[in-house]
Amino acid sequence: MEFYKKGVLLEDVNSIYHLANMYLKGLGTVKDKQKAIELLKLGVEKRSVVCLSLLGETYYQDGEYAEAVKLLSPAAEAGEPRALYLMGVAHGTEIPDQTTFTYDLNKANEYYQKAALAGSHEAMVFFFFFFFFFLIKIFFFFFFFYFFFFFFFF
């Protein structure tokens, strides 16, 4: 943690991101969301896409959807995997504030695909289960189709 603090003094964006993440999760320190947000804003000023994404995620989790969309959209456009995944989550769930994120499964699917291609493990797991359950549905459809076909006609 001390090395990250030294990195923050040198305005290193990776140190800023990791120290903010430590404050958000309470890793090696006491949880301090305000300090984490201050650090993330400093990272955003230094044009760090991962800081932009983490700050947007923090606002999204706090229910501040208008701020979240302002931060997650540019991060997603830059191809940041976590931001792409969160944009998919936001469009794929019905949230109270429909003015910022519209419930659109097609748009959510597009973001999930982009996130998986960008390396988001959460999006890859989502697609694995989606594909797995799709195969199960097809299997049972054909199984029952053939069962009833042979049962009634033979």
Side-chain angles (χ1 to χ4, degrees):
M1 183 165 173
E2 296 303 317
F3 289 110
Y4 287 135
K5 287 182 180 179
K6 289 179 182 179
V8 168
L9 293 175
L10 297 171
E11 297 183 352
D12 175 51
V13 291
N14 290 322
S15 297
I16 292 169
Y17 169 77
H18 288 294
L19 187 61
N21 201 21
M22 290 175 78
Y23 280 123
L24 273 176
K25 295 179 180 177
L27 301 171
T29 184
V30 178
K31 281 187 179 183
D32 190 350
K33 188 178 273 189
Q34 283 307 111
K35 194 176 278 190
I37 288 174
E38 290 173 14
L39 285 168
L40 289 171
K41 286 181 180 178
L42 176 65
V44 169
E45 288 175 12
K46 301 293 176 196
R47 301 204 183 280
S48 170
V49 178
V50 289
C51 288
L52 190 67
S53 177
L54 186 57
L55 185 59
E57 180 179 359
T58 304
Y59 285 134
Y60 181 83
Q61 290 172 347
D62 289 344
E64 298 177 33
Y65 302 115
E67 280 296 314
V69 75
K70 287 179 193 175
L71 298 167
L72 288 173
S73 293
E77 288 174 14
E80 207 283 314
R82 183 74 180 157
L84 288 165
Y85 174 74
L86 289 170
M87 290 293 285
V89 169
H91 286 290
T93 56
E94 293 186 33
I95 57 176
D97 183 10
Q98 289 294 320
T99 58
T100 53
F101 293 107
T102 56
Y103 180 70
D104 185 356
L105 291 178
N106 290 329
K107 192 179 258 189
N109 191 31
E110 287 177 27
Y111 279 116
Y112 284 136
Q113 286 178 357
K114 290 178 184 177
L117 291 173
S120 170
H121 299 293
E122 293 114 337
M124 290 178 196
V125 169
F126 171 80
F127 274 115
F128 169 76
F129 282 111
F130 179 77
F131 184 70
F132 179 73
F133 288 117
F134 177 73
L135 288 178
I136 288 174
K137 284 173 51 176
I138 289 175
F139 172 76
F140 280 112
F141 172 76
F142 283 113
F143 175 77
F144 287 115
F145 174 76
Y146 285 120
F147 175 76
F148 287 116
F149 178 78
F150 286 113
F151 183 74
F152 287 113
F153 295 108
F154 291 108

